[in-house]
Amino acid sequence: MNIIHNKSGWIEVICGSMYSGKTEELIRRLRRSQIARQNVTIFKPEIDNRYSDDHIVSHSDLKIPSIPVNSAAEIFNKAKDADVVGIDEAQFFGMDLVDVCQNLADAGKRVIVAGLDQDYRGEPFEPIPQLLATAEYITKTLAICMVCSNPANRTQRITADEERVIVGGSEIYEARCRNCFMPPKK
Ligand code: ADP
Ligand code: MG
Ligand code: ZN
């Protein structure tokens, strides 16, 4: 058989609440690609400098070097030579990320995107819903509810702030199940 197929790219989405292991899973997949000597390019939003400016870092302290960027367009420009593109905290890049991921996958790249699927009100967090619709592979990760130990897919903000984007850790957010999650009053 002498059939030559064009190398096809694809999109993988890893989504869930805070502390559910999205970043751990992203790092696991990217490390395997690096070991297999693929050209791996990794991005995180500049706004997320909680643990590091130039590494993606999980709450369990796994880390991998990454490029801080301000926009989805910057990702496209800097991923030209990559076989595999990793993107963490995708919810901070807005709807432009959807086309960027599509274009990267169309160009034959494996695109692995991790991000929050719901905001602190429990509302779908763009662009994750749109990425889920266009991805080939979807993984939903769950944390453990800090109140009752059930599987947790919500992020409870434990401060009274009302902005949608507030970057923080356990001083601001905790994982909750659907029973224990209390959406903020409108
Ligand atoms: P995410 O990227 O989804 O916010 P990380 O991959 O950075 O999550 O971190 C996952 C790690 O967070 C877990 O392996 C565990 O060490 C820690 N962790 C903290 N709180 C919880 C919780 N309530 N449930 C599960 N893991 C938690
Ligand atoms: Mg994370
Ligand atoms: Zn609970």
Side-chain angles (χ1 to χ4, degrees):
M1 292 277 276
N2 229 344
I3 304 168
I4 299 171
H5 294 283
N6 287 331
K7 189 172 168 289
S8 171
W10 65 85
I11 300 172
E12 303 170 28
V13 176
I14 304 164
C15 67
S17 67
M18 271 185 74
Y19 311 106
S20 62
K22 301 182 297 296
T23 299
E24 286 175 345
E25 179 60 18
L26 177 65
I27 291 173
R28 188 185 75 86
R29 293 184 195 181
L30 295 171
R31 283 230 172 105
R32 288 162 53 104
S33 295
Q34 288 176 333
I35 290 166
R37 294 193 210 94
Q38 291 187 287
N39 190 341
V40 180
T41 311
I42 306 171
F43 299 97
K44 67 181 248 172
E46 215 160 271
I47 172 179
D48 177 22
N49 56 2
R50 279 173 298 181
Y51 294 117
S52 164
D53 286 327
D54 54 3
H55 281 71
I56 288 176
V57 185
S58 76
H59 292 105
S60 49
D61 211 27
L62 298 178
K63 42 178 91 104
I64 197 164
S66 62
I67 304 170
V69 287
N70 273 315
S71 67
E74 220 179 316
I75 293 177
F76 188 74
N77 292 331
K78 291 183 172 159
K80 295 246 152 50
D81 297 329
D83 305 309
V84 179
V85 180
I87 305 167
D88 202 8
E89 305 290 354
Q91 74 281 352
F92 292 151
F93 289 110
M95 285 294 283
D96 290 348
L97 189 63
V98 180
D99 275 350
V100 165
C101 290
Q102 294 274 47
N103 291 337
L104 291 170
D106 288 348
K109 301 176 195 303
R110 176 184 179 192
V111 183
I112 316 174
V113 191
L116 284 172
D117 51 6
Q118 297 170 60
D119 66 10
Y120 79 103
R121 294 191 174 87
E123 303 287 344
F125 206 157
E126 311 81 40
I128 299 294
Q130 289 75 12
L131 286 168
L132 288 171
T134 47
E136 276 80 0
Y137 303 98
I138 296 168
T139 304
K140 272 251 195 184
T141 48
L142 291 150
I144 297 170
C145 177
M146 293 295 279
V147 177
C148 78
S149 305
N150 269 312
N153 77 332
R154 310 273 160 106
T155 306
Q156 183 75 50
R157 186 178 284 172
I158 52 182
T159 65
D161 302 295
E162 288 182 359
E163 288 153 74
R164 195 179 203 194
V165 173
I166 296 182
V167 177
S170 56
E171 71 291 354
I172 306 182
Y173 298 105
E174 68 181 29
R176 297 270 182 98
C177 74
R178 66 169 64 242
N179 289 338
C180 300
F181 176 73
M182 288 186 303
K185 294 191 181 68
K186 290 246 162 80

